[in-house]
Structures are given as structure tokens and as C-alpha cells.
Amino acid sequence: MPGRQLRIDEYRIEQEPYYLPTGDELAIADAAYHDGSPLLLKGPTGCGKTRFMQYLAWRLQRPLVTVSCHDDLSTSDLVGRYLIRAGEAVWTDGPLTMAVRAGAICYLDEIVEARKDTTVVIHPLADDRRQLPIEKRGELLTAPAEFMLAVSYNPGYQSVLKDLKASTRQRFIALSFDYPDPEREMEIVCREGRLGMEIAKPLVKLAAMTRGLKDSGLAEGASTRLLIQTGKLIGRGIPIKTACRAAISEALTDDRELLAAMDEMISSLF
Amino acid sequence: MPGRQLRIDEYRIEQEPYYLPTGDELAIADAAYHDGSPLLLKGPTGCGKTRFMQYLAWRLQRPLVTVSCHDDLSTSDLVGRYLIRAGEAVWTDGPLTMAVRAGAICYLDEIVEARKDTTVVIHPLADDRRQLPIEKRGELLTAPAEFMLAVSYNPGYQSVLKDLKASTRQRFIALSFDYPDPEREMEIVCREGRLGMEIAKPLVKLAAMTRGLKDSGLAEGASTRLLIQTGKLIGRGIPIKTACRAAISEALTDDRELLAAMDEMISSLF
Amino acid sequence: MPGRQLRIDEYRIEQEPYYLPTGDELAIADAAYHDGSPLLLKGPTGCGKTRFMQYLAWRLQRPLVTVSCHDDLSTSDLVGRYLIRAGEAVWTDGPLTMAVRAGAICYLDEIVEARKDTTVVIHPLADDRRQLPIEKRGELLTAPAEFMLAVSYNPGYQSVLKDLKASTRQRFIALSFDYPDPEREMEIVCREGRLGMEIAKPLVKLAAMTRGLKDSGLAEGASTRLLIQTGKLIGRGIPIKTACRAAISEALTDDRELLAAMDEMISSLF
Amino acid sequence: MPGRQLRIDEYRIEQEPYYLPTGDELAIADAAYHDGSPLLLKGPTGCGKTRFMQYLAWRLQRPLVTVSCHDDLSTSDLVGRYLIRAGEAVWTDGPLTMAVRAGAICYLDEIVEARKDTTVVIHPLADDRRQLPIEKRGELLTAPAEFMLAVSYNPGYQSVLKDLKASTRQRFIALSFDYPDPEREMEIVCREGRLGMEIAKPLVKLAAMTRGLKDSGLAEGASTRLLIQTGKLIGRGIPIKTACRAAISEALTDDRELLAAMDEMISSLF
Amino acid sequence: MPGRQLRIDEYRIEQEPYYLPTGDELAIADAAYHDGSPLLLKGPTGCGKTRFMQYLAWRLQRPLVTVSCHDDLSTSDLVGRYLIRAGEAVWTDGPLTMAVRAGAICYLDEIVEARKDTTVVIHPLADDRRQLPIEKRGELLTAPAEFMLAVSYNPGYQSVLKDLKASTRQRFIALSFDYPDPEREMEIVCREGRLGMEIAKPLVKLAAMTRGLKDSGLAEGASTRLLIQTGKLIGRGIPIKTACRAAISEALTDDRELLAAMDEMISSLF
Amino acid sequence: MPGRQLRIDEYRIEQEPYYLPTGDELAIADAAYHDGSPLLLKGPTGCGKTRFMQYLAWRLQRPLVTVSCHDDLSTSDLVGRYLIRAGEAVWTDGPLTMAVRAGAICYLDEIVEARKDTTVVIHPLADDRRQLPIEKRGELLTAPAEFMLAVSYNPGYQSVLKDLKASTRQRFIALSFDYPDPEREMEIVCREGRLGMEIAKPLVKLAAMTRGLKDSGLAEGASTRLLIQTGKLIGRGIPIKTACRAAISEALTDDRELLAAMDEMISSLF
């Protein structure tokens, strides 16, 4: 069906995304891909998991179908459902089924946010059966060699209620991500934030300082993404301190004391 | 499709809304708009966040699609759904999808009230992908440069249950709003409440006094909006004290002691 | 569409309802109506809030659309939904939309009982935008000047779970209602209960006595409505004490001790 | 429409039901009916509330539409819904609407078991408006004089979670029912259970003894209905003690100690 | 309608089921059937309640419609629903309605597992009205004399949350079931498990021993059904101890200590 | 219907799956199959339960229909539902019904995760009736001799909330699975992980060490499946320690201390 082909082509990544590797994550992901093993990405907000998946998809020349998971994502949202067309119930593939059929990479972002049924529906896809049972159609889909399953989550959020079950975890090759080291982070901020080194350097230092505020009650420190957004504001003529407050402090917290602490950090750096 | 164009035009703001800037919020919002970054507005009830969005939309000459968030707002309410037309399931865009297609500003008011799925559906729109996956159609919509996403919330309501996740917050340029300073508030009350200075001044004083009652158990003090409504009642011939009770005290609380305290404040001023 | 016009006409109040004003509530309501401000009615069960709205609607010559709120009232119940007609999804206005289009008064009785989404859907109608976004149609309805929004609630029921949010309250002109003073209550009971003064007087006294039982565990004292129903039973030949027990005591409580206390009150009066 | 007429006729009670009055309940119910006031029946399980309603309906020559309330009874179940017929959504009256249109008696059994929305939908029917708003049709139905609303509940079950709200209770004329006195109960058991006095007398005594076990943990004592069922078993040749155990003890409890206590009671009587 | 007749015939029990009576349960059930009274079967898992119903149905020559109750069994599942056929909503009887129309026996297994609405829908069927109101059709079905209602439950599971309401219990003739005495149990195990007395005897002893483990934390002891299954495994050549472990110990618990205790019991007997 | 036949053929296992028996599990399963008794598989994640079912299905030459259970799996998902086709509601078998009709093996994986209704719907299939009542069709399906029901669960997850009810458990022949002994595990890892003995041996040792970490807070130790995945990574050229970290440590936990402990284990072995 040409229409469907067109659809999946929307998910192809044409241009090489900018990605700075930090270890052997690409070699492991390649091996997992060729073994037909699924991938589990762990790490904090905005540290580059999504960008890694984009780069991997570009490198493997596979379309990338990303699904942001949440409490209300049902199995039907993933697998598909019947829709009425001209008085007929016509089956419509969900993003997961579409990815399996097309031999694409299906990336379930923040998988622990999903309902249990969403987590369980990937079980037979994530072991050596590599099958997707579409119960509503009585169809049993076997994934082609090109299909890859990847999921991500943020261990910092982990709670008793929202944890991956052992029977789910034990199906994945796991990659642990973290913020890049200062050298790499500066390189990224300069490039993506369109900044010179003289501003990127103290910005990266500020990020590290906010990451140290975790014990003072800050949920998470500034991600690399926030530094990039700060850089862009500065590039538009917003004064540095104002940009830091809007893109970093106020984006991170509403707590007056934490905001004051960050104001002091900003003043000490710029 | 001309019908759809007509629809979005209903959301255009033709006349310049009255807005008194209090800082660099317009410069930051302009920069965010041109960088394609999303906006987070923080601040108490009735302090002017909605009016700011109206002014910004008028200034940028973009339609403004506002969605008041609540517990039962589903992803389908935002993104769209299939409806049966002449025996066919016809896709109908939700307000968010409509805004993305039209390059409008989509403003999600009180975002923390929304269900988690509503919050997560905006993730790929709120980072540098600027994409809206419409899972039910298998469509991946890329936002045009004119599209802007903005959300608001009231940090005063913040609770453990209803807080923005770090992975959501860290996508936004954040602007903090507060009640205007007395000079500005008087100017606004005179203009919008059609009052003279001699009444606007004690009204603004009364508002400040009620805002001081927070420690005595009042959830929030009188907003600028309440002062305007009081002014209008007075303009219709309602005695000042009666107007203050109906539009301020009784609108703020049912607590007998707090009502008595406000009665005393009113008597001391008028 | 003539059919729709007919419908709204069912909601017109043709005859002047009997209403005894107790203060400046009519003047304030008139002013709010002409300013386009919404109305919040506060007060105990059966004290005349509904009758006041009927009188106001008659006085302003506007149809009155009343919706009794409850836990399961959805936004669609208020705003409208698509129904299948001849294979087409045809939009059907809900009572709120019908009221907005017709420039009627929409009265949401016991608003705190409603789900949060019902409360939030009225926000843009209740501030100076006076707009009703019909998200399922992508339609933005602007209320005509004749439209008025009114809501009621009983502060005596107020609990942490069921309270109006500050951001909702601060949109309304608030009117506080209470039981009428003895003189007025006697006048009402005579007229509506078709009784003479010699029975109305001790009945009103009995009501006051039951209202004093609140500290002994009675949720609410006898309302004026109960006195009227007692009067009607007496008019049908039911003995006074039997009528008081059936229409007042047993209607108020199942508690044996409270029933005994009220039996004593009744015996002391008749 | 003749079909609908036929339907409501199924609800007519052709033969005079057997009912032994215990006080002035019939006079009060008659008065309430002629005043258009709704009726609230209170009392324990199986004490004759349903039979009273059947007798009242026969006496007033009105059809009796009974609805057993429960947690999942929705407003639509009561008021009606649209059903697809030949591709059209055709409105189908629920039992309450059917009763209002036909001027029947609508009896909501165990009203406190219903969801809040079911309780609230009867509010405008239960005060002097006597109206049923059918929100889904935008129709406002005014009840004819012949219509009567009646509800029942068992105060013994009363809990904080399942209690009638004051704003609901204060609309009803309330009748309190209890088990009949021994003389009347014997008369009923003889007649309905097809027994002679020599067995009916100790059976009624046994019932009284079980009603005294409430303090020992028995939820409710034996109702008159259970005595009648025991009588019928005896009439079929089941030995008296066996019949008492099957129709009374085992029907009342699973608790071994309570069962033993009742065995002793039975042995002492037969 | 011949199709429907065919359906109910599937529920007829053609061959006499094997059933060993343990008391006067058949006489009581016969009497209840002829009086039109409903039946309540109480007793532990696998003690023969279902078999008793099969035998009773065969004896009375009535079809037996069994419904296993559970949390999600809705009233519609029992009573029926509208289904779309050729663009029409066609009513389809549920199993309860089918049984009422056909004068069959309807057996609701583990009734306490059902939602409250399922329990309440049988109230008018379970008293002398013997009526089934089909609210969605506005139909009031009167059961023919041949119809019988029976429900079962396991008092051992009884909890505050899942108990029959007094108003439900007091409608039934109750029969208490327990495991058969050793002689009868041996006879059953020999016959159904195709075993000789030399193995059946210690098996019945083992069952009794496991039933004594209730105080050590075992939810329920081995039922007669488990003994039969053990016998069948033995007949297939599985060693006795292995069969006892697979069909008794492991089927009863996962607790290591309880499993060890049962291993010792098995070793002491075989 | 040829289409349906085709469907079930997708579930046939053509090639002999690799399975190393560890005891008499095959003899018991064979006996249960020929007796028409259902099977309960107990054991930890990844110990071979699914593989055993595949092997059994291949051996018995029956199709294997596997359903991964979860919180939201409804009875309709298992049994089937009506779908609209050309304006008609056409019945579509669910996987359980399909398996019953085809005389296949239906394997409900992690049955305790399912909702209660899913558990109860298999009751009549799991005792000597071997019937599946399809309530929505009023159809009573009797399973052919070739049909087998099997369920699995992990006793390590057992909690009060998610336990099999005694009335469910007591219908099954139960098989307890555990990790294979070291010799067998090495054989499996060599074969499936494509490794030599010199690496397989310390890997199996590592697995045993992680299984000893349960008391230190690790939910489950490394399964045989994880060892196979580690082997495959090594075969792709990933360094042994890196492969162990990605496929074992990071897949098992996010806890820093446990990760460090496993790093030490890995370093001590390779």
C-alpha cells in the first residue's frame, strides 16, 4: 500500500543528527541491533537519549517511530484499532505495529510512565520470539530482522509504584547515560547554542553547580538542553543574567530559596 | 480547506488588548518565539497571564488557541479524533493540532491540572523536534516556524500530586508573573474598572491588605480582576462597601472570621 | 432553526414567581447582569436560591436553564456532543451552549459537586472574554450581552475535597443567602403553605429550634421549604404533630436521639 | 404511540395486594400524592416497604415503575438514551422518564446505593418545579399531577459514605417503617406462609429473638419475608427445624457461633 | 424463534451427573423450586456445589445457565444489550434474561465477586414479584414457574468488602455445603479418579491432613476435586508422590514451609 | 472458514525448539494433557517456562496461543467481541476462543497480572466441564479433547493483592520451575549464546552470584536468558566486561551499590 509506505517515510531521518559519543554506546547498540536484542536507555532528563536514538536510526538507516509514554497510553494506542470506514471496521496499525511491519526502530520514551498493559505487550517482541500478537485481529506478527525495539527511562524518578518489573527488564541490553563531561558539554553548547567559548564555559559551570543542588531539594539540575536554550536567548540580545533566570532558574524550580541560590551562582559567574 | 481557515480566524485577536508590561517579559517572549522555544508562564490567579498571551498574540499577529486544562482533558481532546460522517470515520483536528497546522499560538492554561498524557503529548513539540505525533492517524506533524506553544500554572497551588515533571519543565523558557506594583495596578483599575483615582487608590490598598491575609488562611488575595469588577459595580450605583463585599470578600472566602476581618478593612478605607 | 427556538422557549418563566427580597441582592444581580459579570449564590439548602434565580430570570425576561451538578456531569453533558443521525455525526448543543447561543441565564446548581472539568470549562465564560470554546467542534462561541452565568453552592458542605478553586471563585460577584428572618419566613409559609398565622408562627419557631441542633449533630436545620410542605399536609387533614414528624423530623434525620429531641420540641409548641 | 402505552400497562397492578396498615402511613401518602410531594420510605429489609408501594399504586390506580438502585446505575439508565435504529439515533425513555410521561409512580428502591448523579437528577422533580430536565435532548419535561416520586432506604446501613445529602432529604415527606407488631406479623405469616397459628406463633417469636442478636454481631434479624418462606418450606413437608435453618439461620449468617445460638433458639421453640 | 430455542438446548444436561447426596439438600431444593424461592449455596472450593446444581437441573429437567461472577461482570452482561445488526440496534438477551424466558435454572457462581449492580438486579427476581426489569428496553419480564435462581458463595472468603448485603441474603433459601465425610469422599475418589480403595483411602486421609493446615497459613485444604485429579495422574503412570506434589501440594501453595510439611505428610502415607 | 484455519496455523511451531528437561515435567504435562487437566507453571523470570510451553506444543503437535496477561486485559480481549462489518456486528473470536475451537494450547502468561474477570472466565474451562460460556453470544462452547489450558506465574512476585484465588488454583496440575543446575545452564548458554565453555562457565558462576544478591535488595538474579544475551554481545566483539555490564548489571538494577557489587563480581571472574 503506497499510502502506508509514505507514512513510514515521514519517520526517516534524512540528515545526520549532531551526536558526540561518550563511550562504547554505539558499538553495543550496533551489536544489539544485529542480534535482534532490544535496547534500554537509562539516564536523566535532557542528557541526550533522544538524540542518541536519532543518531542510531540515521546510522542504521531505519525510520524512527517515537512514542512518549504516559498513564493513559493504551495497548490499542500502540498496536492499533478498528475504525469505521464506509460502514466497515477497518484495521489501523498503531505506531508499534507500523514499526514492526516496516522494520523500523520503535522507541518508547519514558516507558515506566506507561500502563502495565503497554509494558506487557512488548514482552514477546523483546525476547527471542520477536512476535507481536495483535489479539484484536487474531494475528501474530513476526518482526523482520531490521526491526528494533528501544525503551528509555529515568532512574532518578524510580519509585515503588513506577518501576520496571524484573520480567520486563531482563529482556533488554541496557545503556546508562549521563550528562556529558565538561569538555564535551562545552563543545555541544557552543555548537547547538550558537555561543562562543567565553560564555559556554561559565554556563557549563553553572549547570554543574545546579546539579549539586539535588541535596537541597532540586529535583534535577540543568540539562544540556537548558544551556542550549539559554545560549539562544543570549544570541537574541537578552542580557546573560536575564537569560539564565528565564531559561535555567525559573525553568528548574518555583522555590524562592533555590531561586535565590541560583541567582547568586549566576552573579558569581557573569 | 476554506472552512478550516475560517475557523482559525475566529481565534485572531483584531484589536490591541490593553496590557501594561512590568519587565522584560515581552523581549524574552519575542526571543523564545523566534528561537522556536516554548513558553512557561508562572503566577497567581488573575495577575494578567491570560491578558499577556492575548497581547503577545496580537503583537505577533498569530491566532491564539487557548485550552483550559482539567483532570479529564484527554489527549484526544487536544490532538483530535475520528468522527462518523456519512458512514465514514472522518478525522477532526483538536485545538492543539489545529494550532500547529495554522502556525498559531497554543496556550494551555493551568497545565498542571491536566492528566499526565496531556502533559506528555507536548514533549516532542516542546523540544527541538517541534513535532506532534498523531498516533491515531500514524501521522507525524512538524510545526511551522510560526507555531508557538505556551503553558501556564500557578505555583501557589503546587502540591506533590500536581507538579510539573522535571522532564516537562526543562523544555520551557519560564516567565514569572506577579500582581502589578501599586502604581501600575491603580492605572489598570482606573482604566478597566472605569473609576477615578480617589476610589482606585483605596481599592488597590484593600487588595494589598487581603494579600497579607494568606497566613491567616486565605488561599489567595484579591486579584486585579476583582478590583476591576468592584469598580464596575460601583459604576452601576452599588454602594462602595456593598460592592466590595460582593465582588471581593464574598468572592474570596466563606469563612466568617476572614469575612469579618475584611469588613473591618473595608470600613477603615471607605 | 425553529425547533431549537421552541426548545429554549420551554425554559422561559411566564408568570412572576413569588419572591420576597431580603436585601440588596436584586440590585447587585442587576448590575452584574449589565456588566456581563457572572454570579455566585452561596447559602444553605432550601433558603430560596433557586427561587431567586427564577425571579431574576422572570425580571430580566431571559430563559432560565438550570443544571443540577453532580460527580458524573461531564463537559460533554454541559457543552454538547455528536450524535449519529442518518449515518452522520450531528452536533447537539448541551444546556450551557444552548443558553449561550440563546442569550439565556445558565444556572449551575451546587457547582462544587461537579467534576473539575465542568468547573474549568466555564472559566473563559466567566471572565471578560465571555467565550465558550467548543473543543470538539473547533468552535469558539462568544456570548451575547444577554447571556448570564450563575452558579450556587452550600458553604456548609465545604470540605477540602470539594471546594471552589481560587481561580474559579475570583471570577464571580458573590451573593450570600440565608434563611429569611422570622417575619418574612412566616409570611412565606402562610402564603406558600396555605396556612393561617396561628400555625405558621409556631412552625417558624420550630424551624429555628431545629437550626439550633446543628451542634448536636444535625447536618442542617429545617428549611423554609420543609415548613411549606408541613403546611400542605396539615391542609390535607393530617394532624399537626404527625405532619411535623413526617415532613420535618423524619425528613431531617434517622438518629433516634435527635428524633426524640424534635418530638419534644413539637410537643412543646402544638 | 400505542406501543409505549402497552409498555406502561405492564406496570399496572391489577389485583389488590395484601397489605396490613400499621399506622397513618396511607393517609400521609395520600396527602403527599395530592400535594405533589415526593415520598421517602425508611426501614429495615423485608419489613414491607415494597408491598406498601404496590398497595399504594393499586389504591391510586397508577402504574408502579420500580428501579433497584446500585453503584453503577447511571443517569442515562434512569432518564434514557439514544439508540441507533436504521442508522438514526432514536431516543429511548428510561424508566423515570417513562413514569413521568405516563403519570405513574416511580419508586427508587435503596436510593442511597445509587451514584450521586442519580440522586441529583431527581432534585428538580422533587421540589415544587416537578420538572425533569433531559439534558441530552435539551428537553424540559414537566410532570403531570398524577406522577409521584418515591424513594426508599435502610437507615441501618447508613454510613458516612452512603448517606442522603441534606439537600436531597429536605425535599421529601418521610415515612418510617418497622417490622409489624407480633399480632400483625402472625396474621401476615399465616396468610402468606399458608400456616396455622400453632406454627406461626413460635416463628414470630423466633424472628423477635433473632432481631435481638444485633448486638452480638448479626447485621439484621429475620424479616417477615423469611418467616413466610419458612412457612412455605414447612408446607412442602420439610421438617420445621430444617426449614428454620435453611430459610432463617443460614440465610442470615455464616458465623458458626451465631448459627449455634439460633439452633438453640429453634430447639427451644419447636 | 428456533435459533434461540436451539441455544437454550445447549444448556440442557442430557446424562445423569454423578452426585452423592449428603443430607436433605435435594428435598429442600425441590421445595424451594416448587415454591418459586431462590437458592443460596454456601461452601468451600471444590466441595460439589456446581455438581449439585448440575444434578438438580438434570433431576428437574431444566436447562442450567451458569455464570461465573467477577468484578467486571456488568448488569448488561447478565441482562442483555443492544447490538448493531444491519444498521439497527437489535436487542440480545444476556444469560439471565435467556434463562428467565426459557424457564431455566440460572446459577450465579461466586455471587459476592460480582459488582453491586449485578447483585441488585436479581432482587425483584428473588422475592415474590419474580420479575426482571429490563430497564434498557422498558420491559418488565415475569418469570414462569419453571424458572429458578440459584447463587453460590464461599463463606471462607468473606470479608467486609465482599459480603452479601442483608437485603440480598434475606431473599434466599440457604444450603450449607462442606467436604463429604471420609466414606463418601473415598467412594467419589474411586469412581471419578478411577482408583482402587488402597490408594483412595490414604489420599482422603491426606486431604483431611491438609485441611488441618488452615491455622498454619494455608488458605484452603485439598478439595475432593484435587484428589480426583491426583488419581487420574496416577492412572497415567505418574508415581504417587510426584502426582501428589503436582496435583495437591504445588496446586495449594507456593510457601516453602507448607510445601515441606505436605511432603512429609505424603511420605508418611505412601 | 479457510481464513480462520490459516490464522491458527500461524501459531503452529514447525521446528523442534531447543529444550533441556530438568525432571519429570514432560511426563506430568503429557498426563495432564490426556486427562484434559489444565497446567499451572510456577517459577522465576527467564527460567524457561515459555520455552517449555513451546516444546510441549511442538511435541503434542498443537498450535500454541500465548497471551501475556496484564491489568487491563478484559474478558472481551480473551473471549472475543462484536465488530462492525458492512453495518453488521460480526463476532470475532478472541485468542482463548480461537484456541478452544481449534483444539490448540492456550497459554496465559503471568496470569496473576490479569484482572479478576479474566481469571474467572477460565473456571468452567479448567474443571471437568471444559466449557467456555461466551455470554455476549449466549453460546456455550465445549472444548475438544485436543484443547489444553496452561497458565504461568512467578511466586516471587506474590503479594496479597495479586495472588491466585484458592478456587482458581485448585483446578490445575502445578509444575514448579527453577533455574537449571550449573551443568545444564552451561550447556544452554554455550548452545544458545554461541559461546565456548571457557566463557560460559564463569558466566554461569556470575549468574549464581547475582542470585545470591536477593537479600541485598536485588529483585531477581540474572536469568539464563541474560547469560545468552551476554554471550551474543561477546560474539559481536564487545569486550566481556562491557557486555556483562550492559546485558547483566544494568539490566538488573539502577542501584549504585548493587552495580558496584556486580562490577566487583565481574572483575573477579574475567
Side-chain angles (χ1 to χ4, degrees), chain F residues 198 201-203 205-210 240-241 244 259-270:
Chain F
E198 73 290 354
K201 199 169 171 177
L203 269 185
K205 213 163 172 183
L206 176 61
M209 287 164 91
T210 63
I240 297 185
K241 290 185 185 183
C244 287
L259 286 170
M262 283 191 262
D263 269 356
E264 274 182 47
M265 289 172 184
I266 295 165
S267 296
S268 74
L269 287 165
F270 301 99

Side-chain angles (χ1 to χ4, degrees), chain C residues 85-121:
Chain C
R85 293 266 160 90
E88 292 271 339
V90 179
W91 176 259
T92 309
D93 281 349
L96 178 60
T97 307
M98 183 174 71
V100 170
R101 285 200 212 276
I105 300 176
C106 186
Y107 175 47
L108 304 177
D109 196 13
E110 302 210 31
I111 181 87
V112 281
E113 297 293 326
R115 297 192 311 187
K116 288 277 168 65
D117 63 329
T118 309
T119 319
V120 161
V121 87

Side-chain angles (χ1 to χ4, degrees), chain D residues 51 70 84 221 223 246 250 254, chain E residues 35 42 89 117 128 153 170 174:
Chain D
R51 186 61 68 89
H70 54 76
I84 309 297
S223 65
E250 292 281 357
D254 310 315
Chain E
D35 280 338
K42 311 196 288 190
D117 63 328
D128 61 353
Y153 87 108
Q170 294 219 5

Side-chain angles (χ1 to χ4, degrees), chain D residues 225-226 229 246-248 250-252, chain E residues 37-41 111 119 122-123 126 149-151 164 167-174:
Chain D
R225 189 196 288 147
L226 285 196
Q229 289 190 328
I248 297 176
E250 292 281 357
L252 286 176
Chain E
S37 300
L39 221 51
L40 168 65
L41 275 58
I111 182 87
T119 317
I122 60 173
H123 276 197
L149 179 70
V151 305
L164 279 181
S167 66
T168 303
R169 288 186 79 121
Q170 294 219 5
R171 290 158 199 272
F172 290 88
I173 303 293

Side-chain angles (χ1 to χ4, degrees), chain C residues 60-207:
Chain C
L60 297 170
Q61 285 298 300
R62 304 311 313 148
L64 176 66
V65 177
T66 303
V67 180
S68 303
C69 296
H70 53 77
D71 275 16
D72 298 296
L73 189 83
S74 70
T75 308
S76 297
D77 290 333
L78 272 188
V79 175
R81 51 169 56 84
Y82 280 99
L83 288 170
I84 309 296
R85 293 266 160 90
E88 292 271 339
V90 179
W91 176 259
T92 309
D93 281 349
L96 178 60
T97 307
M98 183 174 71
V100 170
R101 285 200 212 276
I105 300 176
C106 186
Y107 175 47
L108 304 177
D109 196 13
E110 302 210 31
I111 181 87
V112 281
E113 297 293 326
R115 297 192 311 187
K116 288 277 168 65
D117 63 329
T118 309
T119 319
V120 161
V121 87
I122 60 173
H123 276 198
L125 257 183
D127 60 28
D128 60 354
R129 288 174 288 171
R130 287 176 64 85
Q131 288 176 327
L132 177 64
I134 310 180
E135 278 148 21
K136 283 189 180 132
R137 303 190 78 196
E139 184 182 352
L140 189 70
L141 205 62
T142 301
E146 292 80 13
F147 170 77
M148 182 179 218
L149 178 70
V151 305
S152 79
Y153 85 108
N154 184 339
Y157 290 168
Q158 223 177 341
S159 70
V160 180
L161 276 173
K162 292 214 159 172
D163 201 0
L164 278 181
K165 292 198 305 174
S167 66
T168 304
R169 288 186 80 119
Q170 293 218 7
R171 290 157 198 274
F172 290 88
I173 303 294
L175 293 176
S176 186
F177 284 77
D178 207 341
Y179 303 117
D181 59 61
E183 286 310 306
R184 272 197 190 81
E185 192 158 40
M186 267 184 271
E187 193 181 332
I188 295 169
V189 171
C190 283
R191 193 191 145 109
E192 300 261 303
R194 300 183 299 254
L195 282 178
M197 222 15 145
E198 73 290 355
I199 297 179
K201 198 170 174 177
L203 269 185
V204 166
K205 211 164 176 185
L206 177 60

